[in-house]
Amino acid sequence: MTPEEKNERQAEACRKYRDKDREKYNAYMREWQRAHAEERKAARRMKVMLDDRAFLPERAHAYDAGLDLKSPVDIMVPAHGSAVINTGVHVALPQRTAGFLKSKSGLNVKHGITSEGVIDCGYTGAIVCKLYNNSGEDYYVSRGDKITQLVILPVRLPDFDVVDGLDDTERGAGGFGSTGK
């Protein structure tokens, strides 16, 4: 049974149960919502610890996806080189999430500065950012400058089934330019 068939089967069972006894279904849904309310509430809060001279992550606008991380030090990122900055920010990511360090678009477009990284749930050490300078000019970071952004996303944690082959798909093993220019 494919995952899609399994999902459809579960959805059909839910619809039958719902239609058979609307009151039981509503009671079940209310209980499920109560049981998961604390988990959802906890997912909206995150503990943060700051080392000396570190800055609290912040959103420039209320609904921005990324939390801006700032440099606690002055440092130069050499042309065509890189620099590592310990932000001094520690976070306790909510369960079933991961933090992704993403380049600040202004630094990338205007100065060729990029950054990438993944922070696993459970890691509580300081967030360390590696800035890459893809330009031909040195770039100077001052204490308090925004250097990267932390985007927190839900993650799926599947178990594995080892198989001898995978289902055929339209794309198959094609990659690295297989769809053309």
Side-chain angles (χ1 to χ4, degrees), residues 107-120:
L107 286 178
N108 186 354
V109 172
K110 296 176 184 175
H111 306 287
I113 302 295
T114 58
S115 60
E116 290 294 322
V118 175
I119 302 162
D120 290 314

PDB file of all heavy atoms in Angstrom, residues 107-120:
ATOM      1  N   LEU A 107      22.917  41.497   2.398  1.00  0.00           N
ATOM      2  CA  LEU A 107      24.350  41.183   2.403  1.00  0.00           C
ATOM      3  C   LEU A 107      24.728  40.385   1.158  1.00  0.00           C
ATOM      4  O   LEU A 107      25.787  40.597   0.563  1.00  0.00           O
ATOM      5  CB  LEU A 107      24.723  40.375   3.649  1.00  0.00           C
ATOM      6  CG  LEU A 107      24.776  41.119   4.979  1.00  0.00           C
ATOM      7  CD1 LEU A 107      25.121  40.171   6.112  1.00  0.00           C
ATOM      8  CD2 LEU A 107      25.776  42.257   4.911  1.00  0.00           C
ATOM      9  N   ASN A 108      23.851  39.482   0.769  1.00  0.00           N
ATOM     10  CA  ASN A 108      24.128  38.645  -0.393  1.00  0.00           C
ATOM     11  C   ASN A 108      24.129  39.474  -1.672  1.00  0.00           C
ATOM     12  O   ASN A 108      25.093  39.445  -2.444  1.00  0.00           O
ATOM     13  CB  ASN A 108      23.081  37.527  -0.462  1.00  0.00           C
ATOM     14  CG  ASN A 108      23.359  36.517  -1.545  1.00  0.00           C
ATOM     15  OD1 ASN A 108      24.271  36.663  -2.339  1.00  0.00           O
ATOM     16  ND2 ASN A 108      22.560  35.483  -1.578  1.00  0.00           N
ATOM     17  N   VAL A 109      23.068  40.224  -1.916  1.00  0.00           N
ATOM     18  CA  VAL A 109      22.921  40.974  -3.169  1.00  0.00           C
ATOM     19  C   VAL A 109      23.924  42.124  -3.261  1.00  0.00           C
ATOM     20  O   VAL A 109      24.548  42.332  -4.307  1.00  0.00           O
ATOM     21  CB  VAL A 109      21.478  41.500  -3.319  1.00  0.00           C
ATOM     22  CG1 VAL A 109      21.346  42.444  -4.491  1.00  0.00           C
ATOM     23  CG2 VAL A 109      20.503  40.341  -3.449  1.00  0.00           C
ATOM     24  N   LYS A 110      24.100  42.864  -2.183  1.00  0.00           N
ATOM     25  CA  LYS A 110      24.955  44.061  -2.237  1.00  0.00           C
ATOM     26  C   LYS A 110      26.447  43.770  -2.058  1.00  0.00           C
ATOM     27  O   LYS A 110      27.283  44.508  -2.563  1.00  0.00           O
ATOM     28  CB  LYS A 110      24.509  45.060  -1.172  1.00  0.00           C
ATOM     29  CG  LYS A 110      23.106  45.596  -1.405  1.00  0.00           C
ATOM     30  CD  LYS A 110      22.686  46.496  -0.259  1.00  0.00           C
ATOM     31  CE  LYS A 110      21.233  46.962  -0.424  1.00  0.00           C
ATOM     32  NZ  LYS A 110      20.774  47.741   0.726  1.00  0.00           N
ATOM     33  N   HIS A 111      26.773  42.708  -1.275  1.00  0.00           N
ATOM     34  CA  HIS A 111      28.179  42.495  -0.913  1.00  0.00           C
ATOM     35  C   HIS A 111      28.699  41.083  -1.182  1.00  0.00           C
ATOM     36  O   HIS A 111      29.871  40.801  -0.904  1.00  0.00           O
ATOM     37  CB  HIS A 111      28.399  42.831   0.561  1.00  0.00           C
ATOM     38  CG  HIS A 111      27.942  44.206   0.932  1.00  0.00           C
ATOM     39  ND1 HIS A 111      28.623  45.344   0.564  1.00  0.00           N
ATOM     40  CD2 HIS A 111      26.848  44.631   1.615  1.00  0.00           C
ATOM     41  CE1 HIS A 111      27.989  46.416   1.016  1.00  0.00           C
ATOM     42  NE2 HIS A 111      26.901  46.012   1.649  1.00  0.00           N
ATOM     43  N   GLY A 112      27.845  40.170  -1.666  1.00  0.00           N
ATOM     44  CA  GLY A 112      28.296  38.806  -1.945  1.00  0.00           C
ATOM     45  C   GLY A 112      28.551  37.973  -0.704  1.00  0.00           C
ATOM     46  O   GLY A 112      29.265  36.966  -0.750  1.00  0.00           O
ATOM     47  N   ILE A 113      27.949  38.356   0.428  1.00  0.00           N
ATOM     48  CA  ILE A 113      28.147  37.635   1.688  1.00  0.00           C
ATOM     49  C   ILE A 113      27.018  36.618   1.854  1.00  0.00           C
ATOM     50  O   ILE A 113      25.836  36.976   1.839  1.00  0.00           O
ATOM     51  CB  ILE A 113      28.164  38.597   2.899  1.00  0.00           C
ATOM     52  CG1 ILE A 113      29.263  39.652   2.734  1.00  0.00           C
ATOM     53  CG2 ILE A 113      28.300  37.835   4.211  1.00  0.00           C
ATOM     54  CD1 ILE A 113      30.675  39.099   2.746  1.00  0.00           C
ATOM     55  N   THR A 114      27.370  35.336   2.038  1.00  0.00           N
ATOM     56  CA  THR A 114      26.374  34.286   2.216  1.00  0.00           C
ATOM     57  C   THR A 114      26.677  33.483   3.476  1.00  0.00           C
ATOM     58  O   THR A 114      27.804  33.493   3.987  1.00  0.00           O
ATOM     59  CB  THR A 114      26.329  33.337   0.997  1.00  0.00           C
ATOM     60  OG1 THR A 114      27.616  32.760   0.811  1.00  0.00           O
ATOM     61  CG2 THR A 114      25.897  34.080  -0.265  1.00  0.00           C
ATOM     62  N   SER A 115      25.662  32.785   3.942  1.00  0.00           N
ATOM     63  CA  SER A 115      25.812  31.911   5.107  1.00  0.00           C
ATOM     64  C   SER A 115      24.757  30.823   5.040  1.00  0.00           C
ATOM     65  O   SER A 115      23.661  31.054   4.519  1.00  0.00           O
ATOM     66  CB  SER A 115      25.674  32.709   6.404  1.00  0.00           C
ATOM     67  OG  SER A 115      24.402  33.321   6.476  1.00  0.00           O
ATOM     68  N   GLU A 116      25.084  29.666   5.530  1.00  0.00           N
ATOM     69  CA  GLU A 116      24.161  28.531   5.578  1.00  0.00           C
ATOM     70  C   GLU A 116      24.479  27.710   6.810  1.00  0.00           C
ATOM     71  O   GLU A 116      25.616  27.666   7.257  1.00  0.00           O
ATOM     72  CB  GLU A 116      24.301  27.633   4.342  1.00  0.00           C
ATOM     73  CG  GLU A 116      23.791  28.257   3.064  1.00  0.00           C
ATOM     74  CD  GLU A 116      22.285  28.496   3.067  1.00  0.00           C
ATOM     75  OE1 GLU A 116      21.543  27.653   3.589  1.00  0.00           O
ATOM     76  OE2 GLU A 116      21.870  29.541   2.553  1.00  0.00           O
ATOM     77  N   GLY A 117      23.475  27.022   7.323  1.00  0.00           N
ATOM     78  CA  GLY A 117      23.708  26.124   8.442  1.00  0.00           C
ATOM     79  C   GLY A 117      22.409  25.523   8.932  1.00  0.00           C
ATOM     80  O   GLY A 117      21.330  26.028   8.639  1.00  0.00           O
ATOM     81  N   VAL A 118      22.530  24.417   9.660  1.00  0.00           N
ATOM     82  CA  VAL A 118      21.379  23.738  10.246  1.00  0.00           C
ATOM     83  C   VAL A 118      21.643  23.570  11.733  1.00  0.00           C
ATOM     84  O   VAL A 118      22.736  23.167  12.137  1.00  0.00           O
ATOM     85  CB  VAL A 118      21.151  22.356   9.602  1.00  0.00           C
ATOM     86  CG1 VAL A 118      20.021  21.608  10.292  1.00  0.00           C
ATOM     87  CG2 VAL A 118      20.869  22.499   8.115  1.00  0.00           C
ATOM     88  N   ILE A 119      20.631  23.873  12.537  1.00  0.00           N
ATOM     89  CA  ILE A 119      20.719  23.683  13.975  1.00  0.00           C
ATOM     90  C   ILE A 119      19.672  22.655  14.363  1.00  0.00           C
ATOM     91  O   ILE A 119      18.470  22.868  14.174  1.00  0.00           O
ATOM     92  CB  ILE A 119      20.472  25.009  14.729  1.00  0.00           C
ATOM     93  CG1 ILE A 119      21.496  26.038  14.273  1.00  0.00           C
ATOM     94  CG2 ILE A 119      20.538  24.789  16.233  1.00  0.00           C
ATOM     95  CD1 ILE A 119      21.121  27.447  14.587  1.00  0.00           C
ATOM     96  N   ASP A 120      20.126  21.519  14.857  1.00  0.00           N
ATOM     97  CA  ASP A 120      19.206  20.458  15.244  1.00  0.00           C
ATOM     98  C   ASP A 120      18.553  20.756  16.575  1.00  0.00           C
ATOM     99  O   ASP A 120      19.156  21.365  17.464  1.00  0.00           O
ATOM    100  CB  ASP A 120      19.954  19.125  15.344  1.00  0.00           C
ATOM    101  CG  ASP A 120      20.380  18.597  13.993  1.00  0.00           C
ATOM    102  OD1 ASP A 120      19.546  18.605  13.074  1.00  0.00           O
ATOM    103  OD2 ASP A 120      21.545  18.179  13.869  1.00  0.00           O
TER     104      ASP A 120
END
